[in-house]
Amino acid sequence: NKATTTANKKQTTKSQVSDVSIGSLGDSYDSFFGSGIKEFIPSKKQSTLDAYKDLASGFDLDDKFPASKSVSLATLGIAYLYSSNKDQKDGYRAELYQLASGHLKSLPSDIKDDTFSQSTQSPKDTVAIFDKYKDTTLSSSMEKTITSSGLANEVTTNLKLNNVNDLVKYKVVVMNFDTGSSGQKKFASEHYMFGADPTMWVESVGGDAYILFAKNYATDFIADANGDTRHKVIHEFIHAQSPFLLGDLGHSIEERRAELFSGDLSSYYDAKQMFIYTEVFSGISMNDMLEAAPTSPADFYMGIYSKFGVKTANDIIGNTPVAYLSDPSYAVSQTQALIDSMDGLTAGAIDIGQKDKPAMEARMKTRTDKLFKVFKTKDKVIRDFDNNVSGGYGLHLAAQTMKDYINSHY
């Protein structure tokens, strides 16, 4: 949760990397190597920790960072890569900033981020703002509709939980304003929201998951709980359940997870295509990994680091859906340049596939045959890669690799 004004921002040049955090990361490094992260060899440990200290210089971090096993893994992954790529410090530092931004007490002097703040609001104050804009009657009606429509039960089944009581506790708040209204703009001036005029969104406040709805969107769902809005509401409920975000990284993964377990009926086409072509080229299915552990970020991230290797896993984590990039911050732009967007992770997947080229080409054939069933002709399949896969989605290398295969085999 972020809420501030530009005037509240502070900047710092102090280094707050404690010996305690370094020791903890050192222990994690050893543990990860023992658990299958083959690149974390003992001889690279000290250079990785030194690289972290260098990257984190000037980061005034709270004592909760890194807050989880997954964040520790990503932190060490960034530092490990930087240790042998010192000429790319700005990119790796920006990525570490995205990972740690929720634990920074102030904005580092070299990072530009108009939306940054360590919230000046306590959880109590944030909830007070929610209450100020809450439509109590509609909130109650929304809660009843969620129960009576079986939506919570559907989320439970989709995530392979035993019963509804296993869901992370959530609170439903319907706002007293419509999407894009002056009321929403007034709310946004008091409480920062990522993105422009969202219809519904999820926030964690004081350990509680809040699912918030604009009034018009909630009204539509209440009127027809089995209509077009149902899968979108389920999508948001998935976000409230053990999200796979790592600070401000992992958005493509989290959006793919929310889509995978809400019917694959909504947006984030680029994230879906990223998962498809990563599997086509490498033979490693991240969808299967999500299916196996839909509420366990640690298992998923350990899986991609051990299967793809540190570089490609880091590219996957750093990747951000195009919907998030309409007005990217300095840190987001630097990170996307560092990982070469979708093309970086695609190159890593192809490198893995090249180890068994016949198997990779068999997967490419299966994918091509599926597209031929839809589009019928070679020209239309090629056009789909040009228009829908490449285009503005950043999947240029995936599209070109598939086109080259099709042109030489069909």
Side-chain angles (χ1 to χ4, degrees):
N1 156 62
K2 299 177 180 178
T4 193
T5 64
T6 303
N8 288 329
K9 298 172 190 172
K10 298 178 183 178
Q11 292 188 325
T12 183
T13 57
K14 295 186 298 180
S15 178
Q16 297 290 336
V17 182
S18 70
D19 291 337
V20 173
S21 66
I22 294 296
S24 174
L25 284 171
D27 291 342
S28 295
Y29 185 98
D30 295 336
S31 174
F32 292 141
F33 175 69
S35 299
I37 312 301
K38 297 176 182 178
E39 290 156 282
F40 284 177
I41 57 178
S43 62
K44 292 284 189 74
K45 177 179 176 179
Q46 191 57 52
S47 63
T48 298
L49 295 177
D50 289 343
Y52 168 69
K53 286 192 284 187
D54 185 16
L55 283 178
S57 176
F59 281 19
D60 193 3
L61 291 159
D62 66 30
D63 58 6
K64 294 181 180 179
F65 182 83
S68 68
K69 180 179 179 180
S70 301
V71 173
S72 294
L73 179 56
T75 300
L76 288 167
I78 292 168
Y80 173 88
L81 294 168
Y82 170 60
S83 69
S84 55
N85 295 278
K86 292 295 183 69
D87 59 330
Q88 295 180 298
K89 182 173 183 178
D90 289 348
Y92 286 112
R93 185 169 165 85
E95 189 175 26
L96 182 63
Y97 166 79
Q98 282 196 267
L99 181 65
S101 60
H103 295 278
L104 285 165
K105 300 175 185 177
S106 53
L107 186 66
S109 58
D110 61 319
I111 299 289
K112 306 174 188 69
D113 187 351
D114 289 341
T115 61
F116 170 83
S117 76
Q118 178 67 21
S119 176
T120 56
Q121 294 174 352
S122 67
K124 181 179 178 181
D125 291 335
T126 297
V127 172
I129 291 178
F130 290 170
D131 288 342
K132 175 181 175 181
Y133 288 90
K134 179 179 180 179
D135 185 314
T136 303
T137 301
L138 275 179
S139 295
S140 177
S141 181
M142 189 69 172
E143 287 181 358
K144 291 176 182 177
T145 304
I146 286 167
T147 300
S148 64
S149 69
L151 187 142
N153 285 319
E154 188 172 346
V155 171
T156 299
T157 300
N158 292 355
L159 294 179
K160 301 178 182 178
L161 301 174
N162 292 324
N163 57 65
V164 167
N165 292 330
D166 291 333
L167 291 173
V168 172
K169 300 305 179 186
Y170 58 88
K171 298 184 180 183
V172 173
V173 177
V174 177
M175 299 303 194
N176 60 12
F177 51 73
D178 291 340
T179 302
S181 67
S182 59
Q184 186 167 40
K185 295 186 187 332
K186 188 172 185 296
F187 170 81
S189 72
E190 297 183 47
H191 181 77
Y192 171 74
M193 291 186 297
F194 182 85
D197 299 333
T199 55
M200 56 183 170
W201 66 102
V202 173
E203 293 192 36
S204 177
V205 182
D208 293 324
Y210 282 80
I211 306 177
L212 302 108
F213 299 84
K215 181 177 180 180
N216 55 317
Y217 210 85
T219 301
D220 288 346
F221 179 74
I222 292 167
D224 185 5
N226 293 307
D228 292 340
T229 60
R230 184 180 181 88
H231 71 275
K232 295 179 182 178
V233 176
I234 293 175
H235 177 111
E236 294 303 323
F237 263 71
I238 300 298
H239 284 322
Q241 303 301 312
S242 304
F244 281 39
L245 291 176
L246 305 177
D248 198 27
L249 298 176
H251 285 290
S252 287
I253 294 166
E254 175 60 16
E255 294 299 352
R256 182 69 194 100
R257 183 181 80 109
E259 276 297 285
L260 184 64
F261 296 111
S262 63
D264 266 337
L265 297 172
S266 192
S267 52
Y268 299 105
Y269 177 85
D270 52 338
K272 294 174 185 178
Q273 294 294 302
M274 180 189 87
F275 271 60
I276 288 171
Y277 288 103
T278 300
E279 180 180 358
V280 166
F281 299 133
S282 72
I284 301 167
S285 173
M286 289 192 290
N287 281 337
D288 287 351
M289 294 165 70
L290 287 174
E291 290 275 10
T295 56
S296 179
D299 287 346
F300 177 83
Y301 285 115
M302 282 295 296
I304 65 170
Y305 270 89
S306 60
K307 292 178 185 294
F308 287 103
V310 174
K311 171 64 170 64
T312 301
N314 185 70
D315 291 348
I316 293 169
I317 288 172
N319 186 264
T320 296
V322 69
Y324 285 67
L325 298 175
S326 59
D327 185 22
S329 70
Y330 166 83
V332 170
S333 296
Q334 290 287 99
T335 299
Q336 295 308 298
L338 172 73
I339 67 173
D340 198 15
S341 191
M342 294 282 191
D343 285 353
L345 62 93
T346 301
I350 291 172
D351 285 345
I352 292 170
Q354 291 286 356
K355 296 174 183 177
D356 188 348
K357 193 169 182 179
M360 181 174 75
E361 291 197 345
R363 292 189 297 271
M364 293 170 75
K365 182 181 186 305
T366 298
R367 179 63 183 170
T368 301
D369 289 345
K370 185 178 292 187
L371 292 172
F372 265 81
K373 286 182 180 179
V374 175
F375 296 107
K376 308 303 181 185
T377 69
K378 177 179 174 179
D379 285 346
K380 288 183 179 178
V381 171
I382 294 294
R383 191 183 309 157
D384 180 63
F385 280 113
D386 287 336
N387 295 339
N388 297 327
V389 178
S390 183
Y393 289 113
L395 283 154
H396 308 104
L397 180 58
Q400 190 60 55
T401 303
M402 289 297 296
K403 285 163 59 178
D404 290 345
Y405 171 81
I406 292 168
N407 283 326
S408 62
H409 289 79
Y410 287 80

